[in-house]
Amino acid sequence: MDWSLIWLAGLGLFLAGIVKGATGLGYSSCALPFLVSALGLKPAMALVLIPAMATNVNVAFTAGHLVETWRRFSNLYVAMLPGIAVGVCLLVWIAQAVAVKTLGLIVIAYAAMTLVRPQILISKFAERSLQVPTGFANGVLTGLTGSQVMPLFPYMMSLDLDPNRLVQAINLAVTVASVFLAIGLIYAGIMTPDLIGLSILAIVPAIFGAQLGTKLRAHIPASQFRSVVLYVLLATGFLLLVRA
């Protein structure tokens, strides 16, 4: 990996941090399309993991309702773990172009749903019944692409949670998934010692970007900025589909 690619990756991590701080959008979902274009999918997945955990773990443990959220969605969180194992096995086995195209589709779906925000509500029975399949499917796609938002995001949006509980539920899921994805990538030989070191260093631009984004939030129209970012994500998702 030459220095020009490292600087480009650092810029992508920094910009994703700004977006995370300014809009609250998922860090990995914003960073991965740019990192994949610069480095390829497997190095990008390894590089983004530790800064993504750094930007999410604080929220997961300070947003409140931690014990309540874990009890309510424990089946979903536990079901992610075998799904991640399956996804990492698929990542090693199938052609990388297939995984990149899958990531492109996930980015497009995530950006489109966030833009449209369809009002879909499900019953308590459906909430409980869908936890295991949602968690497992989310785990598979996490292990295959590094993106942790589908189908977790639409499932959580369909429960009509208050904002604090929604943020807590999603960030706790992302934190759990990130830890076990890191274990899976290390076991598969994808997250090498060099990439672990770079991923630790990547915390700096990610956190600095997130802090800058938080400050910018008070000075920019957040809804307009969020829309621009989502349209950019749509474009990068389509580019991943075409270029893979």
Side-chain angles (χ1 to χ4, degrees), residues 69 71-77 80 110 113 118 120-138 148-161 166 169-170 173:
T69 300
R71 287 174 176 169
R72 181 171 179 177
F73 299 110
S74 58
N75 289 337
L76 185 150
Y77 298 147
M80 289 192 301
Y110 173 63
M113 287 205 67
I120 302 173
L121 298 178
I122 61 176
S123 66
K124 288 289 186 182
F125 175 78
E127 174 189 332
R128 293 189 297 270
S129 300
L130 291 173
Q131 279 200 29
V132 170
T134 299
F136 182 78
N138 205 83
Q148 304 155 340
V149 294
M150 298 296 286
L152 175 71
F153 181 72
Y155 171 81
M156 291 296 179
M157 292 298 294
S158 71
L159 301 182
D160 196 29
L161 298 170
L166 178 63
I170 292 176

Side-chain angles (χ1 to χ4, degrees), residues 1 4-20 25-45 47-48 100 103-104 107 145 225 228-240 243:
M1 190 183 301
S4 62
L5 291 180
I6 291 175
W7 281 108
L8 183 60
L11 178 61
L13 292 161
F14 174 69
L15 293 175
I18 292 176
V19 171
K20 173 73 174 179
L25 293 172
Y27 182 83
S28 295
S29 297
C30 294
L32 273 172
F34 302 103
L35 295 179
V36 170
S37 299
L39 308 175
L41 178 61
K42 293 177 182 178
M45 288 174 61
L47 185 61
V48 80
V100 172
L103 175 61
V107 170
T145 69
F225 181 64
V228 169
V229 169
L230 289 168
Y231 282 118
V232 171
L233 282 179
L234 279 174
T236 56
F238 281 111
L239 284 175
L240 290 175
R243 292 181 57 184

Side-chain angles (χ1 to χ4, degrees), residues 43-64:
M45 288 174 61
L47 185 61
V48 80
L49 256 181
I50 295 177
M53 280 191 276
T55 58
N56 281 292
V57 70
N58 182 60
V59 177
F61 288 95
T62 60

Side-chain angles (χ1 to χ4, degrees), residues 167-233:
V167 168
Q168 176 64 277
I170 292 176
N171 276 274
L172 186 55
V174 170
T175 301
V176 171
S178 296
V179 171
F180 282 89
L181 178 59
I183 294 170
L185 293 181
I186 291 171
Y187 184 78
I190 295 171
M191 198 165 184
T192 62
D194 287 345
L195 281 173
I196 292 173
L198 287 173
S199 188
I200 293 172
L201 290 176
I203 293 174
V204 176
I207 295 296
F208 183 66
Q211 291 175 342
L212 180 58
T214 301
K215 292 178 181 178
L216 288 174
R217 191 189 304 166
H219 303 287
I220 59 176
S223 60
Q224 294 179 19
F225 181 64
R226 185 185 180 95
S227 296
V228 169
V229 169
L230 289 168
Y231 282 118
V232 171
L233 282 179

